[in-house]
């Protein structure tokens, strides 16, 4: 259940690239997202002590980014 969200990544990104660039575009977008997301635990740990206001703010920013991403990356209608 912990990795179920990764199944949505190809589903959402598949319509964002033309057919001839689809594999490269999907791979670059997916891996850059993992690279940036991989640094978030370190950044959160450096910015805030455990369970402080900083931690809550970082979690709120993360939730807001997920919601914005879901709204802006909606599937195209064909």
């Amino acid at each position: 259940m912990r990795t179920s969200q990764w199944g949505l990544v190809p589903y959402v990104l598949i319509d964002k690239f033309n057919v001839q660039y689809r594999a490269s575009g999907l791979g670059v977008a997916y891996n850059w997202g993992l690279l940036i997301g991989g640094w978030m635990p370190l950044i959160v740990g450096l910015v805030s002590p455990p369970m402080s206001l900083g931690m809550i703010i970082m979690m709120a920013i993360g939730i807001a980014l997920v919601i914005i991403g879901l709204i802006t990356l909606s599937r195209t209608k064909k």
Side-chain angles (χ1 to χ4, degrees):
M1 194 68 171
R2 297 181 82 191
T3 60
S4 61
Q5 72 274 12
W6 297 116
L8 294 175
V9 173
Y11 179 76
V12 171
L13 290 179
I14 199 77
D15 286 338
K16 300 302 171 193
F17 303 102
N18 292 334
V19 174
Q20 64 267 26
Y21 303 115
R22 189 166 288 163
S24 298
L26 182 62
V28 169
Y30 184 79
N31 289 313
W32 271 102
L34 288 176
L35 178 69
I36 293 168
W39 285 97
M40 275 302 125
L42 176 66
I43 293 170
V44 169
L46 293 174
V47 169
S48 63
M51 296 309 290
S52 69
L53 182 61
M55 179 72 79
I56 295 169
I57 291 172
M58 292 299 269
M59 286 191 289
I61 290 171
I63 291 169
L65 289 174
V66 167
I67 292 170
I68 291 169
L70 288 173
I71 292 170
T72 58
L73 291 177
S74 62
R75 303 262 309 166
T76 58
K77 297 189 190 263
K78 293 182 178 182

